[in-house]
Amino acid sequence: MFQARLRQGRHLAGAAVCAAALLTLTSCGGVQGGGGSGEAAENYPTKTVEWTVPSDPGGSTDLISRAAAKALEDPLGQSVVVENKPGANGAVGGKEVLGRKPDGYSLVMLSQSLMSIGPHTVVDDDPIKMSDMDVISGLTVEDYVLVVPAKSDIETLDDLLAKKSVKYGTTGAGTGSELAQALLFGDAGVKAGGIPFDGGAPTVTALLGSQVDVGAVHVAEAAPHLTSEKLRPLAVFAKERIDFLPDVPTAVESGHDVVVDQRRWVAGPAGLPDNVVSELRAAVKKAFKDPEYGKFLENNYIGRWEASPDAVVKQVETAKKRYGELIDEFGLDLKTEG
Amino acid sequence: MDFLTPALDGFGVVFEPQNLLYCLIGVTLGMLVGVLPGLGPAATIAILLPVTYTLEPASAIILLAGIFYGAQYGGTVTSVLLRLPGEASTVVTAIDGYEMARTGRAGSALGIAAIGSFIGGTVGIVGLTVAAPLVAGWALAFGPPEYAALALLGILMISTLSTGSLRRSLLAGSIGLLLATVGRDPLLGSARYTFGSDQLADGLDFVILAMGLFGIGEILHSLERLRQGAPPEPRVGRARPSRAEFLQSRWAIARGTVVGFLLGILPGGGATMSSMVAYTVEKRSSRTPERFGKGAIEGVAGPEAANNTAATSSFIPLLTLGIPANATMAVMFGALLLAGVTPGPQMIDEHPEVFWGVIDSMYIGNLFLIILSMPLIGLFVRVLRVRASVLAPLTVLITMIGVYTIRSSMFDMLAVVVLGVVGYLMKKVGLPPGPLVLAFVLGNLLETDFRRSMRMFDGDVTGFLGRPVSATLLAFVVVFAVAVPLLSLRKKLRQPAPPDTTTTLERTPDHPRTAAEPGGPSEERQHPG
């Protein structure tokens, strides 16, 4: 809190200097909001950059944002302040930031689940489109692992799929956790009922207490309980086996073509000036090399996905199309109570 | 007593000068944050996360934990003085605490809250030290069916939470349940009553509802009284509770501590639920239940002891199982991860200095809190001397800033004003806001967990009876809703109600009426189905 205030003070002082300088050239209106894109963009960045997290404090999105924003401050030469604007799986914060002026001072972290899975599972008349944003860079990829309580008699994925009926826990409606399991059980033809919880931690709690038979969570959320052998991994929904769990097969290996992960990227409102994009991209690339950021990712089993803007857009469109095909193929309906 | 050795070593960590300092900074900051409504401990801890990067893990967590339990006490101050509950767990404190302040006993209310919090917190830490690993597993037995049953039980208790008639409490409670359905369907994600607005997609925020109905509503009401030339607010009174008041509250503190410790361990709303249960326990066990809602000191002491104990015991699932029990603990979980410490069963072996350092810092932190708060009470109550024409706009300003900090939303500021007008109108027609707000909190829990349970049972309602804990809780519901009213009805028929000296025409004690209407609560029971 105090730091934020200090930063603001510094920013005000900086703005005052700029105002004095600009006063001779143009009107002072340019200082307040970034002004006309041309001139203000030339010396980007001249003030604090706001990085919006469209979810509550404490979750993955929040933690990754805070780690990345901190790593970004040095290369950018300005403070990067993280602000939480949660709501509607990220749609509230996303829409708000993407509706602002494209000046490079408002960035937002967005996720694949919102853009690729949400449209298939959640009714929304006015969803965010990829064309609403200018992607700066891909950031991270997190894999899902399918786990059962250690006490369970289910030892392998085949055991699970041989059950007559299964109750599975998910981290919520419209999440990769829900989609991955719905697809898996749909493909295997198992009668299964999903029980959505409010995120990863409550899902893990339900699994530890054997409230559900099985559940899918991010690797980081399951990791401490896999190490202490309170939970048993059955499969990962990644394309290939993951480093942290080399002995755990992928769902694909077991004959079920289900690949679902969570990818995140940072973006600004569509129409960012070219030099702002290149300035931000260069700074982000340097931030990726920050040792503390690296340590954070490693400690939390978060993979790097430092993709170019085009690659991000392509990934989102491909995933959206692919998930839609699979949902149709298995005749799933994730929009109503099943 | 091998396990005590590392526990004592933990004090070595705490007594390092810089850690003592971080503990002091933490609780002071926490108290300030608690006083400012809206800006909760979860958000503050998140804001401070980057600062803690550079600290030792133990120091970082000591600082952040201090903010958490410091805020529990700070929230009480605005609840009592201004009827602005900043946290769900201090709503019930506002009921009797504010009445005490209005009758010149603000100092007593704040003092007993501080003492209750200190005792509850300290006992909670002792419990945490000795029994943490033993009781941790208990929380896991609580699945969706148990939460649904617990929420149902809680909603029945609403009838005891107000001074108005039972019918009005139930009406207000029902409105609360309806408001709880606004926002995304918790299981499907489809929009309900949002009028196509993303702002309402996640429903109304609890803090906004509470600050609008209680805070702004109360300000509007007091301005009206001011215009009518009502006598000014009573004098400030003494700055700390008298010996008699302490003796009157000691069992309330003891009972609140036990309730808080047990319910705090449960993931999800432990502190809120425990303060409510503690209030109900006090009112039910009191020989003079009609004093409640009019400034009964037990109505402050019990819930305050309970919510502080719960704040402490909510560390148990985090530190021993790696399960965050509430939003603040979730941020704390993140802070531990950032510090390279993974909370969970292995933490006590891998990072004993962090585990015990944090627990032991709470003893010291609680001591700091009571040393800080007792002299500050005199300062806080002086707020009441400020003229209403100055205090009211100032309170509105603080509320607005607080609301904006929740998620930086202009819509929320508008919502709090609208709800303030609603709160004022409710007061005019005699609908109590307490039951509405608490039904709102529990309504979310009830709906979500009831539907989760039905999915677990494949739609078979009798599944609730097949699980020991949920069956027991439902048995309590039956006793509460049917047996108790019937019994007291019989008692009432046998002997006329004792004359009550404090009763006035507007304020009828609700207890005898509860007895007269056995149908009321059971109607409520059918609501979720």
Side-chain angles (χ1 to χ4, degrees):
Chain A
M1 196 162 49
F2 295 135
Q3 222 187 31
R5 205 169 291 156
L6 279 177
R7 275 176 192 160
Q8 202 142 39
R10 201 163 47 180
H11 151 54
L12 281 178
V17 173
C18 289
L22 276 172
L23 211 57
T24 51
L25 298 172
T26 65
S27 75
C28 54
V31 182
Q32 268 300 320
S37 53
E39 277 153 310
E42 259 163 43
N43 2 333
Y44 176 87
T46 55
K47 59 172 184 173
T48 302
V49 174
E50 204 176 290
W51 178 307
T52 300
V53 177
S55 62
D56 283 312
S60 292
T61 314
D62 184 58
L63 292 178
I64 297 171
S65 290
R66 286 178 197 277
K70 185 162 181 282
L72 196 57
E73 289 193 336
D74 263 350
L76 210 54
Q78 284 291 341
S79 300
V80 181
V81 174
V82 173
E83 194 180 34
N84 297 82
K85 238 179 231 246
N89 276 345
V92 172
K95 272 183 213 174
E96 211 228 89
V97 175
L98 297 182
R100 287 189 205 161
K101 190 199 296 266
D103 58 7
Y105 294 105
S106 298
L107 303 176
V108 62
M109 172 102 139
L110 291 166
S111 69
Q112 180 173 257
S113 60
L114 176 68
M115 303 303 302
S116 305
I117 301 177
H120 300 303
T121 60
V122 177
V123 183
D124 186 350
D125 300 332
D126 179 29
I128 297 179
K129 295 179 288 295
M130 288 312 281
S131 57
D132 295 336
M133 67 185 87
D134 275 351
V135 176
I136 309 296
S137 171
L139 290 173
T140 56
V141 52
E142 287 159 273
D143 288 307
Y144 288 98
V145 57
L146 189 69
V147 292
V148 292
K151 280 174 280 183
S152 167
D153 58 355
I154 300 164
E155 297 283 342
T156 64
L157 190 59
D158 288 339
D159 290 351
L160 176 71
L161 298 178
K163 290 261 169 193
K164 274 201 208 80
S165 96
V166 174
K167 294 273 171 283
Y168 63 92
T170 79
T171 58
T175 61
S177 163
E178 182 190 45
L179 179 73
Q181 293 180 94
L183 292 177
L184 175 71
F185 294 122
D187 187 35
V190 177
K191 185 175 162 257
I195 298 160
F197 292 91
D198 302 325
T203 312
V204 167
T205 310
L207 281 161
L208 290 173
S210 300
Q211 306 292 348
V212 286
D213 299 319
V214 62
V217 292
H218 284 311
V219 174
E221 288 153 353
H225 308 286
L226 297 176
T227 315
S228 64
E229 297 184 353
K230 292 276 194 320
L231 294 178
R232 183 165 42 241
L234 299 182
V236 290
F237 291 106
K239 209 172 264 171
E240 280 154 22
R241 292 194 182 202
I242 59 175
D243 294 343
F244 172 64
L245 298 166
D247 300 329
V248 179
T250 62
V252 181
E253 277 177 61
S254 317
H256 304 283
D257 191 13
V258 179
V259 177
V260 178
D261 52 25
Q262 175 66 306
R263 288 165 196 256
R264 300 179 206 275
W265 64 90
V266 60
L272 290 178
D274 289 342
N275 67 321
V276 169
V277 175
S278 57
E279 193 73 43
L280 277 169
R281 277 197 59 77
V284 167
K285 271 190 186 143
K286 274 184 209 146
F288 287 150
K289 295 198 186 91
D290 183 272
E292 265 186 61
Y293 177 72
K295 208 177 105 198
F296 163 80
L297 294 183
E298 210 172 292
N299 284 345
N300 291 289
Y301 313 99
I302 295 167
R304 288 170 183 269
W305 180 55
E306 286 150 11
S308 69
D310 289 343
V312 170
V313 175
K314 194 163 162 246
Q315 163 72 24
V316 170
E317 303 290 354
T318 317
K320 184 174 163 188
K321 197 162 149 254
R322 170 86 183 130
Y323 294 153
E325 285 165 5
L326 287 172
I327 288 167
D328 289 344
E329 191 185 327
F330 302 140
L332 300 177
D333 180 5
L334 297 171
K335 287 185 181 178
T336 53
E337 194 130 11
Chain B
M1 300 301 264
D2 269 351
F3 79 99
L4 274 182
T5 318
L8 290 175
D9 287 346
F11 277 108
V13 178
V14 183
F15 284 124
E16 283 170 30
Q18 81 273 22
N19 286 347
L20 278 178
L21 183 67
Y22 286 126
C23 188
L24 183 65
I25 294 174
V27 295
T28 314
L29 213 56
M31 257 173 84
L32 293 177
V33 161
V35 170
L36 187 67
L39 185 63
T44 314
I45 293 174
I47 291 165
L48 282 177
L49 274 184
V51 182
T52 63
Y53 276 144
T54 48
L55 304 181
E56 293 282 309
S59 308
I61 306 304
I62 285 172
L63 172 72
L64 299 179
I67 293 175
F68 178 52
Y69 52 79
Q72 299 295 320
Y73 181 70
T76 310
V77 177
T78 45
S79 272
V80 168
L81 296 181
L82 306 171
R83 209 169 181 237
L84 270 179
E87 305 270 324
S89 56
T90 53
V91 170
V92 291
T93 311
I95 299 174
D96 275 286
Y98 183 67
E99 286 303 323
M100 286 181 75
R102 274 167 46 105
T103 50
R105 292 165 70 206
S108 297
L110 291 175
I112 207 72
I115 294 168
S117 297
F118 175 72
I119 295 174
T122 308
V123 172
I125 305 159
V126 174
L128 183 60
T129 312
V130 180
L134 295 175
V135 292
W138 184 69
L140 291 178
F142 264 71
E146 285 74 23
Y147 280 110
L150 193 65
L152 190 56
L153 193 60
I155 286 173
L156 285 186
M157 289 174 189
I158 284 169
S159 61
T160 66
L161 279 178
S162 95
T163 45
S165 75
L166 178 67
R167 227 175 288 228
R168 284 178 169 167
S169 300
L170 290 181
L171 181 59
S174 308
I175 297 172
L177 288 177
L178 285 175
L179 286 178
T181 61
V182 174
R184 264 168 207 261
D185 179 307
L187 269 66
L188 300 173
S190 46
R192 297 191 303 203
Y193 309 116
T194 60
F195 306 101
S197 155
D198 276 331
Q199 299 293 348
L200 281 173
D202 288 298
L204 294 162
D205 190 283
F206 158 77
V207 178
I208 291 164
L209 191 74
M211 292 204 294
L213 293 183
F214 280 103
I216 305 286
E218 177 63 31
I219 292 164
L220 291 175
H221 189 74
S222 68
L223 287 180
E224 185 185 78
R225 266 180 295 161
L226 202 68
R227 263 189 80 84
Q228 289 165 353
E233 293 294 314
R235 71 258 165 251
V236 168
R238 53 188 297 140
R240 57 195 57 185
S242 66
R243 197 179 150 75
E245 282 171 325
F246 178 71
L247 289 178
Q248 198 181 357
S249 330
R250 64 195 160 154
W251 289 112
I253 291 174
R255 283 186 289 259
T257 302
V258 174
V259 167
F261 188 77
L262 293 178
L263 291 181
I265 301 168
L266 296 178
T272 309
M273 197 80 88
S274 70
S275 64
M276 268 182 74
V277 171
Y279 189 85
T280 312
V281 166
E282 286 321 308
K283 192 165 175 179
R284 292 265 167 196
S285 63
S286 170
R287 264 184 236 122
T288 49
E290 63 279 357
R291 288 190 300 112
F292 282 76
K294 290 171 202 145
I297 196 161
E298 301 98 308
V300 176
E304 278 302 306
N307 68 26
N308 257 60
T309 319
T312 312
S313 65
S314 64
F315 273 89
I316 292 178
L318 180 75
L319 295 179
T320 59
L321 298 173
I323 296 170
N326 52 45
T328 316
M329 286 296 127
V331 184
M332 204 75 97
F333 188 92
L336 282 163
L337 286 177
L338 285 179
V341 177
T342 310
Q346 68 288 359
M347 183 178 161
I348 189 165
D349 293 324
E350 285 176 10
H351 301 280
E353 79 290 350
V354 179
F355 186 90
W356 291 113
V358 173
I359 291 181
D360 292 342
S361 80
M362 293 183 200
Y363 287 103
I364 309 297
N366 258 294
L367 214 56
F368 279 148
L369 259 185
I370 193 142
I371 294 170
L372 275 176
S373 59
M374 288 313 266
L376 280 179
I377 287 171
L379 197 70
F380 284 140
V381 291
R382 245 173 264 168
V383 167
L384 294 179
R385 282 206 193 125
V386 179
R387 287 213 328 272
S389 53
V390 176
L391 188 60
L394 202 64
T395 314
V396 174
L397 184 72
I398 294 174
T399 307
M400 285 308 185
I401 294 171
V403 166
Y404 187 74
T405 57
I406 298 172
R407 48 172 199 175
S408 322
S409 158
M410 291 296 290
F411 176 84
D412 290 350
M413 293 170 76
L414 195 68
V416 90
V417 173
V418 172
L419 286 165
V421 174
V422 172
Y424 167 72
L425 294 175
M426 280 177 69
K427 203 149 179 159
K428 294 294 272 184
V429 300
L431 277 179
L436 191 158
V437 170
L438 288 159
F440 174 80
V441 173
L442 294 175
N444 279 321
L445 199 65
L446 181 66
E447 185 207 342
T448 313
D449 282 308
F450 179 74
R451 287 173 59 191
R452 281 180 188 141
S453 307
M454 293 314 279
R455 286 191 178 191
M456 286 170 72
F457 302 145
D458 284 322
D460 180 8
V461 188
T462 55
F464 282 100
L465 303 176
R467 298 165 60 107
V469 181
S470 63
T472 313
L473 287 168
L474 286 177
F476 276 121
V477 170
V478 173
V479 169
F480 235 106
V482 184
V484 171
L486 278 182
L487 275 179
S488 34
L489 181 68
R490 216 181 64 174
K491 209 162 109 193
K492 202 190 162 200
L493 288 177
R494 238 185 247 162
Q495 60 182 62
D500 180 4
T501 47
T502 58
T503 308
T504 61
L505 272 177
E506 300 86 37
R507 291 171 180 260
T508 320
D510 77 322
H511 198 63
R513 284 230 204 161
T514 312
E517 291 174 39
S522 48
E523 261 169 41
E524 196 68 7
R525 191 156 57 100
Q526 285 156 6
H527 191 89

